[in-house]
Amino acid sequence: MRTVHEVSKLTGVSIRTLQYYDKIGLLHPAEYTESGYRLYDDAALEKLQQILLFRELEFPLKDIKAILESPDFDREKALEQQITLLLLKKEHLEALIDLARGIKTIGVNGMDFTAFDTKKMDEYAAQAKASWGNTPEYREFEEKAKKRKPEEERRLHVQMMTIFAEFGKLREGAPDSSEAQLLVKRLQDFITEHYYACSDEILSSLGSMYAGGGKFMKNIDAAGGEGTAAFVNKAVQVFCSKEK
């Protein structure tokens, strides 16, 4: 057991903040001494790590509390998504650093504000929150997954990768081509049939997630060749921007 002072010293989180987390029900200590002092065990420290990762990604405290209290919260899955979000954040910061260095070296050159764009990161965060937040789509996904046997899961994975392999054959072409757009519709229908109702809004977020780096992008590029995930995202965004 560690006292609140020891936890503060270990983690860099102020005592006042730890007291506030306890007050709002975000992180309770494992127990209190007879004098009312807070004591934290390893489980509480592990939860604090999760909270700090979410805070690093600028999630509001109320959202973090809802995520951690969700009966569907999967710690391993959350860590994978947090890693992807952190990589996106790193990419964003590196772009800002490059911009600042360029301005320092040659001065302001044109009105290029692309380094400030956080759309990719924001969309991936929205998709991650949807899965952590116990949405109807996520509940549907979980319900269908419970009924499937491992061999069926593998078969669906192969079928999904086959769709991405088809995208790979088109990746040197235009994402708004009829072939690419028909393939996007096929992907959307496949997700709806086997996983959850995939609206255009959800599909758009998925596209951004596919191209956002990490495991998703790696697997898609492995199926269709380098650049496939980025092409899928472009095709998806074209599809979702069209009036239906």
Side-chain angles (χ1 to χ4, degrees):
M1 290 286 190
R2 290 182 171 86
T3 67
V4 69
H5 293 274
E6 290 171 334
V7 172
S8 177
K9 185 175 181 180
L10 175 68
T11 64
V13 179
S14 71
I15 293 173
R16 185 185 295 271
T17 297
L18 291 169
Q19 291 170 339
Y20 181 66
Y21 287 175
D22 184 13
K23 180 181 178 180
I24 64 174
L26 180 60
L27 178 68
H28 294 302
E31 60 182 70
Y32 299 87
T33 66
E34 291 183 1
S35 304
Y37 292 107
R38 295 170 175 82
L39 295 175
Y40 296 83
D41 59 6
D42 289 345
L45 290 176
E46 286 180 10
K47 187 174 182 180
L48 180 57
Q49 283 183 330
Q50 282 286 341
I51 292 168
L52 294 179
L53 275 172
F54 282 121
R55 288 298 288 151
E56 192 66 30
L57 295 166
E58 301 176 11
F59 278 48
L61 291 178
K62 62 181 180 62
D63 288 354
I64 298 174
K65 187 172 185 292
I67 289 166
L68 295 179
E69 290 179 354
S70 169
D72 297 313
F73 179 69
D74 183 331
R75 181 175 178 275
E76 292 303 316
K77 179 180 178 181
L79 280 171
E80 284 291 331
Q81 292 173 320
Q82 286 168 334
I83 289 168
T84 299
L85 277 167
L86 288 167
L87 287 170
L88 288 172
K89 187 174 183 179
K90 177 186 175 185
E91 179 184 314
H92 174 63
L93 290 173
E94 286 175 344
L96 289 174
I97 291 169
D98 288 343
L99 175 65
R101 284 174 172 164
I103 292 173
K104 181 179 179 182
T105 304
I106 61 176
V108 177
N109 185 15
M111 293 290 115
D112 184 2
F113 289 86
T114 55
F116 298 97
D117 185 7
T118 61
K119 186 171 183 285
K120 186 193 297 185
M121 189 164 53
D122 293 341
E123 288 180 341
Y124 184 89
Q127 176 64 26
K129 282 183 183 180
S131 67
W132 293 326
N134 196 24
T135 62
E137 292 81 13
Y138 186 64
R139 289 196 296 273
E140 183 182 357
F141 170 82
E142 288 287 284
E143 196 60 35
K144 287 183 177 180
K146 288 177 185 176
K147 298 175 182 178
R148 283 196 290 266
K149 295 180 179 179
E151 56 267 27
E152 187 178 358
E153 286 286 357
R154 288 192 289 271
R155 178 176 60 81
L156 289 177
H157 176 73
V158 170
Q159 290 177 352
M160 177 78 90
M161 290 301 108
T162 299
I163 294 174
F164 289 131
E166 292 296 317
F167 273 111
K169 296 175 183 177
L170 304 175
R171 70 185 189 279
E172 299 299 331
D176 61 350
S177 68
S178 59
E179 294 89 349
Q181 292 303 293
L182 284 172
L183 207 49
V184 172
K185 185 65 170 66
R186 180 178 158 194
L187 174 64
Q188 185 181 43
D189 290 345
F190 182 87
I191 294 170
T192 295
E193 180 181 357
H194 298 290
Y195 297 105
Y196 50 80
C198 185
S199 65
D200 285 359
E201 182 180 2
I202 290 175
L203 184 64
S204 175
S205 295
L206 285 172
S208 299
M209 181 173 68
Y210 294 155
K215 183 178 179 181
F216 289 104
M217 186 172 181
K218 182 178 179 181
N219 287 343
I220 292 170
D221 282 355
E226 187 176 354
T228 299
F231 179 80
V232 172
N233 181 41
K234 290 176 183 177
V236 163
Q237 301 313 325
V238 170
F239 179 88
C240 294
S241 66
K242 292 179 179 178
E243 291 188 10
K244 302 295 192 295

